[in-house]
Amino acid sequence: MNRPTVTFAQFLSRFPEIELPVILNEETHHTFSLNNEPLTAAMIEQFILPIEEEEADELTEFIPCFQLPKTEGFHAIVYWKAALLNYQYAMATFNAKGQFIDRRVIAGTFVSGQTITQ
């Protein structure tokens, strides 16, 4: 099934600019989930899945969090990813045309056996 193409501007519109500094913790994603419009399946397919380091399954959830303000020539967004025993805030950067630059995990929780890493 072909999903409609989404523009980069439409994708960015789901990530409101916020004032810095911002604190991310285990519960912050709930606030973003309540206040931000969710990403569509097409947005996730076009802009998130191609930059993910690990494959996402049908249970993986993505929540748009925010966009860094006052960037020139690039856009920096933060989204929350919930996968099995792996919850992370990731920052992704794109150039002005929407081409991917880089992605890094900036906070999160990972469970491996009896070890919990935050």
Side-chain angles (χ1 to χ4, degrees):
M1 176 171 76
N2 288 340
R3 289 197 170 90
T5 301
V6 177
T7 67
F8 185 62
Q10 290 170 320
F11 172 69
L12 280 182
S13 73
R14 303 297 171 106
F15 297 86
E17 286 190 0
I18 60 160
E19 275 191 48
L20 297 175
V22 63
I23 296 173
L24 300 173
N25 61 41
E26 293 176 11
E27 301 303 318
T28 310
H29 69 278
H30 291 297
T31 302
F32 295 123
S33 179
L34 291 172
N35 294 314
N36 297 347
E37 255 189 277
L39 295 171
T40 65
M43 290 174 178
I44 293 168
E45 192 173 288
Q46 273 182 248
F47 296 104
I48 300 292
L49 293 181
I51 66 173
E52 278 294 308
E53 295 168 352
E54 300 166 358
E55 277 199 40
D57 62 23
E58 64 277 354
L59 300 177
T60 303
E61 182 180 2
F62 297 95
I63 295 175
C65 296
F66 58 88
Q67 183 176 168
L68 293 182
K70 301 177 186 167
T71 56
E72 293 185 31
F74 73 98
H75 301 278
I77 62 159
V78 173
Y79 61 91
W80 185 74
K81 174 186 174 184
L84 183 62
L85 303 176
N86 188 358
Y87 312 96
Q88 52 188 235
Y89 289 95
M91 178 182 291
T93 53
F94 299 85
N95 70 15
K97 294 180 180 181
Q99 297 165 319
F100 173 67
I101 298 171
D102 199 9
R103 176 198 176 276
R104 297 279 187 234
V105 174
I106 57 173
T109 301
F110 177 77
V111 179
S112 178
Q114 298 295 325
T115 304
I116 298 174
T117 304
Q118 290 186 315

